[in-house]
C-alpha cells in the first residue's frame, strides 16, 4: 500500500477531529461539481478512517437518485433508508444498518427512489433526523449528489455544519468548480475544505507501477468492486485494483468511476 494514500486520509481525519474538538464540525455533507469525481469513495474511506480512530460514525446516503454506497459497503439491495424515514414509512432505527465487520460504522441507505428528492430533503423531518443522528454519533457523513446537477447538497448543507468539496484533478473546468462553490456559498453553506482526487504526483516526477487514486486498506477487511460488477469490468473501468506489493495481494477502493 503506497504510504502517501494512507496518510492522505489520516491527514483529513486529523483535520476533522481538530474541528470537531473545537465544537465546529460533527455533521457534514460531501459533494462535488459533477459526477465521477470520486466523492462517494471519499465519503466511504473517510468514514473508515474515522472509525479506526475510535469514532462512532454514521454514513448516510443522500444521493436519492443514484445511490452507490450500499454497493461499496456490500450492504445488500432494495434497502429501506433516508427516503422511507423522511416519508414516515419506516422508523429511523429500522433503516439503520449495523456493519458487523466494521466496528463503529453504521450505514443509513438512500432507500426507495422518491419522485421529489430535493423537496423531501428540505422537509423539517430531515433536520430532525440529522439532529438525532448527531446526538448518537461522533460524526455524521452525508453523501450528496454533485452540486452542479441538483440542489440537494445545498439543501442538506444548510442544516449541517458544512460541506466537504471533492475536486477531481484535470476534470471539471475551473469555471465549473467556481460556479459550484458559489452555489454552495450563496445557499449559506459553509465550505469546510476541499479534497483533490486523481492528482498524479508520482507521474509528474517519475512513472510508477501504481495507478493513482486514494486507497484504503486494512488487514481485517477491504473493499473491491461493488456487488454486481465483475472484476474484469471493474479493472476496465478503473473502479478497483488489485496489486502485488511485497509478495502480498492488496485490495483497494479506487476513485475513478463513480458519482
Amino acid at each position: 500500500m503506497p504510504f502517501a494514500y494512507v496518510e492522505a486520509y489520516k491527514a483529513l481525519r486529523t483535520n476533522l477531529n481538530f474541528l470537531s474538538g473545537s465544537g465546529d464540525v460533527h455533521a457534514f455533507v460531501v459533494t462535488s461539481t459533477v459526477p465521477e469525481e470520486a466523492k462517494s469513495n471519499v465519503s466511504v474511506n473517510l468514514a473508515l478512517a474515522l472509525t479506526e480512530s475510535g469514532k462512532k460514525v454514521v454514513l448516510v446516503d443522500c444521493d436519492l437518485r443514484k445511490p452507490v454506497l450500499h454497493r461499496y459497503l456490500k450492504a445488500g439491495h432494495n434497502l429501506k433508508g433516508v427516503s422511507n424515514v423522511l416519508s414516515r414509512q419506516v422508523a429511523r432505527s429500522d433503516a439503520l444498518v449495523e456493519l458487523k465487520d466494521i466496528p463503529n460504522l453504521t450505514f443509513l441507505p438512500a432507500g426507495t427512489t422518491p419522485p421529489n428528492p430535493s423537496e423531501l430533503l428540505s422537509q423539517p423531518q430531515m433536520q430532525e433526523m440529522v439532529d438525532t443522528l448527531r446526538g448518537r454519533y461522533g460524526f455524521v457523513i452525508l453523501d450528496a449528489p454533485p452540486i452542479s446537477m441538483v440542489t440537494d447538497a445545498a439543501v442538506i448543507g444548510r442544516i449541517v455544519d458544512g460541506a466537504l468539496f471533492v475536486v477531481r484533478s484535470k476534470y471539471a473546468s475551473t469555471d465549473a468548480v467556481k460556479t459550484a462553490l458559489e452555489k454552495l456559498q450563496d445557499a449559506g453553506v459553509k465550505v469546510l475544505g476541499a479534497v483533490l482526487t486523481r492528482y498524479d504526483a508520482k507521474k509528474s516526477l517519475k512513472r510508477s507501477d501504481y495507478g493513482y487514486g486514494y486507497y484504503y486498506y486494512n488487514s481485517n477487511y477491504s473493499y473491491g468492486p461493488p456487488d454486481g460488477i465483475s472484476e474484469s469490468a471493474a479493472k476496465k473501468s478503473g473502479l478497483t485494483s488489485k496489486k502485488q506489493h511485497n509478495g502480498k495481494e492488496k485490495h483497494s477502493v479506487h476513485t475513478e468511476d463513480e458519482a
Side-chain angles (χ1 to χ4, degrees), residues 3 31 135 190 195 219 233:
F3 178 76
T31 188
K190 180 180 179 181
V195 177
S219 59

Side-chain angles (χ1 to χ4, degrees), residues 2 34 121 128 181 206:
V34 293
L121 291 169
E128 295 172 10
L181 285 170
K206 181 180 180 181

Side-chain angles (χ1 to χ4, degrees), residues 159-180:
I159 62 174
V160 295
D161 300 321
L164 190 62
F165 193 68
V166 177
V167 181
R168 176 174 167 177
S169 179
K170 298 181 180 180
Y171 195 67
S173 69
T174 301
D175 288 342
V177 172
K178 288 181 178 179
T179 300

